[in-house]
């Protein structure tokens, strides 16, 4: 596996992470009392984003002589069948789907109502904990 495909996989994860953080910020702006699960998701995804950015920097020099020793590690991380990056992306997509299933209308009042409904029943603390645990793994 070459460094470009590894970097592409990491960048895809970074984009998914950023998209979820953005959705969470929209929820947070609409809610007066921010639920624990929303705060925890944002915090965990910021940490994940930092790790992914570090991995992306390391992946850029895999084709250089100094990066050859890391190639097997990145190859196992990027295994297309069941590598950690693929599994993480799958979990992020599930989380993003749960957050986005409220189908916000464009107006602020309806957006707030949608956010309250979405947080109220879609992301209970237990569900958030389970999803974050899978992403952490």
């Amino acid at each position: 596996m070459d460094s470009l495909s590894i970097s592409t996989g990491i960048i895809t994860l970074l984009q998914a992470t950023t998209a979820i953080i953005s959705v969470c910020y929209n929820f947070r702006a609409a809610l007066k009392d921010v639920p624990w699960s929303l705060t925890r998701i944002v915090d965990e995804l910021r940490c994940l984003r930092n790790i992914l950015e570090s991995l992306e920097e390391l992946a850029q020099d895999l084709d250089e002589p100094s990066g050859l020793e890391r190639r097997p590690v990145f190859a196992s991380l990027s295994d297309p069948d069941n590598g950690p990056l693929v599994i993480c992306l799958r979990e992020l997509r599930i989380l993003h789907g749960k957050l986005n299933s409220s189908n916000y209308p464009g107006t602020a009042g309806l957006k707030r109502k949608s956010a309250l409904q979405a947080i109220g029943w879609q992301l209970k603390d237990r569900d958030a904990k389970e999803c974050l645990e899978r992403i952490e793994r």
Side-chain angles (χ1 to χ4, degrees):
M1 182 163 273
D2 65 347
S3 63
L4 181 60
S5 60
I6 292 170
S7 290
T8 302
I10 294 170
I11 290 169
T12 302
L13 272 169
L14 281 166
Q15 290 171 335
T17 303
T18 301
I20 295 171
I21 290 172
S22 177
V23 169
C24 289
Y25 284 157
N26 287 339
F27 281 141
R28 191 164 70 182
L31 297 171
K32 183 177 182 174
D33 295 319
V34 179
W36 170 90
S37 57
L38 184 59
T39 302
R40 175 90 192 272
I41 289 170
V42 170
D43 290 345
E44 290 295 327
L45 292 180
R46 281 184 191 153
C47 290
L48 177 60
R49 187 174 57 191
N50 292 338
I51 291 167
L52 292 170
E53 287 171 350
S54 296
L55 284 174
E56 203 277 324
E57 286 179 26
L58 290 171
Q60 289 181 5
D61 70 345
L62 287 177
D63 295 329
E64 303 296 323
S66 62
L68 291 177
E69 63 205 30
R70 291 191 301 265
R71 287 193 89 170
V73 173
F74 276 91
S76 65
L77 280 174
S78 302
D79 179 9
D81 296 324
N82 60 355
L85 296 180
V86 171
I87 293 169
C88 184
L89 181 60
R90 185 179 326 131
E91 291 300 327
L92 288 172
R93 287 181 175 158
I94 290 169
L95 178 59
H96 194 260
K98 286 183 180 185
L99 289 170
N100 267 341
S101 65
S102 63
N103 294 327
Y104 296 124
T107 62
L110 294 174
K111 191 173 184 178
R112 178 179 169 85
K113 183 179 177 184
S114 295
L116 289 170
Q117 289 173 341
I119 293 296
W121 62 272
Q122 288 180 345
L123 272 182
K124 299 196 184 316
D125 285 344
R126 184 180 44 111
D127 293 338
K129 284 180 189 176
E130 290 173 3
C131 191
L132 290 173
E133 286 172 0
R134 290 190 303 266
I135 290 171
E136 286 175 1
R137 277 187 248 133

